[in-house]
Amino acid sequence: MSGLRVVSIGPSVTVQDQGRPGFVASGLSRGGAVDLLALSEGAALLGQCADLATLEMAGFGGVFKAERDLRIALTGAAMQASLDGAPLRWNASHAVPMGAELRIGAASSGGYGYLHLGGGVDAPMVMGARSTDLNSQIGRRVADGDLLPVGPDVGGPVGCVLDGASRDDGGTIRMVRSFQTPLFAKDELARFEATVFHRDMRGNRMGVRLKPQGAGFQAEGGLTVLSEIIMIGDVQMTGDGAPFVLLPEAQTTGGYPRIGTILPCDLPKLVQAPPDADLRFTFITLEEALDAERAFKAQLADLPRQIAPLIRAPGDVPDLLTYQLISGVARGDEEH
């Protein structure tokens, strides 16, 4: 068995895919990648399915050694990356020859970066997914010395770039109302939409706390809310009135009042926002939300058509001999 050897690793790196939907009634959250858009971007760069497992790196990556020729893609929060000392472009695919050292450092923006392998990480399949779910004790964090086995790679181009959707500068997050939204008075809802929030860096894969500029928000009769099913993207209002956004490893039931639910297509913008980015919320109708989700799915389907060649100076390409330079010249001669 060969693949990518972990020389050293950051404190919060796990194997993730699209998760395990359908088990909420049994007490297991969906899990999976925090930024599902990053999975589709990596799949487009490598020309493979978006349901393959990848490495999710929270804030910091690690040092890796290739034990076979590999194709990789880097998406999500931009991190400092190099191959045998030469810098690597983020939101791009690269060839990693056997024996090469890949270094991924701290995130320069955003919170979660993703390392994709051609063929995916061939981690054990548990309940239909390869995702690590620390809260449910499925799998564990990646550790120093681990060998990440790689699945069958269909092959394809490398040296490609994708201008990923911007989601590391905050902005407006769309929400729909829930059954508990009426627990908040109309003036509280209006103040919620008018308030600027910032991410609290103490968040994790269970959820992230938001800090409002000004007083917190209270629900009428919030202490009498019964515990009921909750979903990813629900915005709970904690005891001090600060919103807490539930993420893939959140519990499946809860009793805090929920002011609304964030659209799945807008969650990447929230989880990748840096602490100093301004975040605002706006309520939209269910019909508008469905239109937004349909547009997002169309955007994902169009990603492969947005791939472009990564142009670099030959001296900056450590794996230059892995590229099909001759065929490129031949095609050019034929055109003339």
Side-chain angles (χ1 to χ4, degrees), residues 3-4 66-72 94-98 117-118 150:
L4 189 65
E67 296 195 354
R68 52 172 279 191
D69 291 343
L70 298 169
R71 296 188 308 135
I72 68 166
H94 309 276
V96 179
M98 181 176 177
L117 302 175
V150 180

Side-chain angles (χ1 to χ4, degrees), residues 147-303:
L147 176 65
L148 301 173
V150 180
D153 186 5
V154 298
V158 290
C160 299
V161 66
L162 174 66
D163 288 333
S166 176
R167 52 190 184 277
D168 59 359
D169 54 0
T172 299
I173 309 296
R174 293 167 294 183
M175 303 175 61
V176 293
R177 289 170 169 79
S178 71
F179 286 118
Q180 294 180 357
T181 303
L183 294 176
F184 296 83
K186 289 184 178 180
D187 58 344
E188 281 286 85
L189 294 175
R191 187 168 65 87
F192 180 79
E193 289 189 280
T195 297
V196 174
F197 297 86
H198 294 102
R199 275 196 59 193
D200 190 319
M201 289 307 293
R202 290 174 293 179
N204 54 30
R205 286 179 45 80
M206 292 184 65
V208 60
R209 184 177 182 271
L210 301 177
K211 298 179 291 186
Q213 289 184 351
F217 302 85
Q218 303 297 328
E220 298 174 358
L223 297 179
T224 63
V225 174
L226 297 176
S227 182
E228 61 178 5
I229 188 171
I230 56 178
M231 301 297 293
I232 297 170
D234 279 353
V235 182
Q236 291 183 331
M237 211 58 71
T238 54
D240 62 357
F244 189 85
V245 181
L246 300 174
L247 297 182
E249 284 186 24
Q251 71 279 11
T252 55
T253 60
Y256 284 113
R258 283 162 288 153
I259 199 167
T261 303
I262 295 172
L263 271 61
C265 60
D266 279 5
L267 268 178
K269 185 188 298 186
L270 183 138
V271 299
Q272 299 290 21
D276 60 347
D278 290 349
L279 292 167
R280 294 179 181 272
F281 293 91
T282 184
F283 288 104
I284 63 174
T285 66
L286 182 58
E287 291 74 17
E288 291 171 330
L290 292 173
D291 287 342
E293 289 296 320
R294 281 190 285 266
F296 182 65
K297 289 183 179 180
Q299 173 190 341
L300 297 184
D302 192 56
L303 286 176

